[in-house]
């Protein structure tokens, strides 16, 4: 009887691993779209009433402005080829945000932290360094692969906290977006700075790529509802593009049927 119980448990564990091994690209794209659209959902805001005004002021929808901080794993296990795909995914995320809440000196802003070993973890560019979507994407494209020998996710999140503390703009929504392919193995445990960021009102999201990530650690890093898995960086790039496409306005299926044309 004990042997049978052990066999059942082993089969169940194997089935769970098999079921979680493959990530559906459409599902990932929809999840990314849902989260980003929720972060960018317009809120009703009452404009200030002019002095002496005696008329009724109605609220108007205002889209939140983001301080969007990418935290990009650049450890050697990723390889230079896959790092390029990770950067491409980052650029698509920037496009997504810009379509809803444009980047600019007084709008949404972006920054990027690259990390591997603790000594190589650094700010590539910070909020306000680049104020157009094209310049932000160009700067992301210029980030070089570190090929570091460790994964210092915790120190990278500590640096993210410092960036937001020092350079975050009051009124902008702070978002930290981590992309990693492995379990942290250097420096402070990532849960500690992630919890501090959350306590400060920052949204923390994480994408774990490949089979080497630790599911427990991912859930400790990311907020509930903002933890994602991708089988590969190529899949992440594809899903990000699909999410962007979902954000674009679409004509209804019957739009052209309702048009009338005149011969001229």
């Amino acid at each position: 009887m004990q042997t049978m119980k052990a066999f059942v448990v082993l089969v169940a564990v194997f089935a769970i691993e098999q079921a979680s091994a493959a990530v559906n690209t459409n599902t990932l794209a929809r999840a990314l779209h849902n989260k980003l659209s929720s972060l960018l959902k317009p809120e009703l805001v009452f404009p200030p009433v002019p002095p002496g005004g005696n008329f009724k002021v109605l609220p108007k929808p205002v889209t939140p402005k983001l301080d969007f901080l990418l935290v990009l794993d650049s450890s050697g296990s990723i390889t230079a080829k896959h790092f390029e795909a990770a950067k491409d995914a980052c650029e698509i995320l920037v496009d997504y945000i810009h379509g809803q809440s444009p980047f600019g000196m007084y709008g949404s802003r972006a920054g990027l932290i690259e990390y591997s070993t603790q000594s190589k973890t650094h700010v590539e560019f910070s909020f306000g360094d680049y104020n157009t979507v094209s310049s932000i994407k160009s700067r992301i494209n210029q980030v070089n692969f570190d090929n570091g020998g460790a994964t210092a996710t915790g120190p990278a999140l500590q640096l993210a906290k410092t960036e937001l503390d020092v350079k975050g703009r009051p009124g902008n929504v702070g978002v930290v977006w981590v992309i990693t392919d492995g379990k942290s193995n250097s420096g402070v445990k990532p849960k500690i700075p992630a919890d501090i960021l959350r306590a400060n009102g920052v949204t923390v999201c994480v994408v774990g790529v490949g089979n080497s990530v630790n599911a427990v650690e991912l859930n400790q890093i990311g907020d509930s509802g903002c933890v994602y898995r991708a089988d590969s960086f190529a899949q992440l790039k594809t899903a990000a593009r699909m999410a962007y496409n979902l954000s674009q306005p679409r004509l209804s299926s019957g739009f052209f049927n309702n048009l009338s044309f005149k011969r001229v």
Side-chain angles (χ1 to χ4, degrees), residues 2-33:
Q2 291 180 342
T3 303
M4 179 62 69
K5 287 182 178 179
F7 175 77
V8 172
V9 170
L10 287 172
V11 170
V13 171
F14 179 77
I16 291 171
E17 289 179 348
Q18 289 295 98
S20 62
V23 176
N24 183 282
T25 306
N26 290 323
T27 302
L28 176 58
R30 176 61 65 177
L32 293 173
H33 169 61

Side-chain angles (χ1 to χ4, degrees), residues 16 21 30 39 48-49 125 137 143 162 171 195 198-199 212 240 259:
I16 291 171
R30 176 61 65 177
L39 289 170
V49 179
F125 65 92
K137 291 170 61 179
V143 176
T162 299
D195 284 344
R198 269 186 288 276
S212 297
L259 294 179

Side-chain angles (χ1 to χ4, degrees), residues 67 69 103-105 108-112 123-133 135-137 139 163 167 169:
D67 277 348
L69 184 55
F103 289 99
M105 186 176 298
S108 287
R109 305 183 302 166
L112 189 147
V123 177
E124 272 285 332
F125 65 92
S126 190
F127 304 124
D129 288 350
Y130 302 92
N131 292 312
T132 65
V133 66
S135 62
I136 292 169
K137 291 170 61 179
R139 184 62 182 84
E163 277 294 288
K167 298 183 179 180
R169 176 177 290 163

Side-chain angles (χ1 to χ4, degrees), residues 10-136:
L10 287 172
V11 170
V13 171
F14 179 77
I16 291 171
E17 289 179 348
Q18 289 295 98
S20 62
V23 176
N24 183 282
T25 306
N26 290 323
T27 302
L28 176 58
R30 176 61 65 177
L32 293 173
H33 169 61
N34 289 344
K35 184 60 184 182
L36 289 168
S37 63
S38 70
L39 289 170
L40 296 164
K41 183 178 179 180
E43 301 174 347
L44 290 177
V45 176
F46 283 91
V49 179
N54 57 359
F55 49 87
K56 185 177 181 181
V57 177
L58 298 177
K60 63 177 183 178
V62 176
T63 300
K65 300 172 184 177
L66 304 189
D67 277 348
F68 186 67
L69 184 55
L70 291 156
V71 180
L72 188 56
D73 186 350
S74 189
S75 54
S77 58
I78 290 177
T79 74
K81 174 185 176 181
H82 295 146
F83 188 72
E84 291 302 310
K87 293 194 301 182
D88 290 343
C90 290
E91 291 182 39
I92 297 169
L93 293 175
V94 166
D95 274 333
Y96 188 113
I97 294 168
H98 182 70
Q100 311 294 322
S101 181
F103 289 99
M105 186 176 298
Y106 303 105
S108 287
R109 305 183 302 166
L112 189 147
I113 290 172
E114 183 181 20
Y115 76 97
S116 54
T117 63
Q118 293 188 62
S119 61
K120 287 187 173 183
T121 297
H122 64 281
V123 177
E124 272 285 332
F125 65 92
S126 190
F127 304 124
D129 288 350
Y130 302 92
N131 292 312
T132 65
V133 66
S134 59
S135 62
I136 292 169

Side-chain angles (χ1 to χ4, degrees), residues 236-252:
L236 174 59
K237 176 182 175 180
T238 299
R241 174 59 63 190
M242 292 170 65
Y244 171 80
N245 290 340
L246 288 171
S247 74
Q248 299 305 294
R250 296 185 177 186
L251 297 176
S252 65

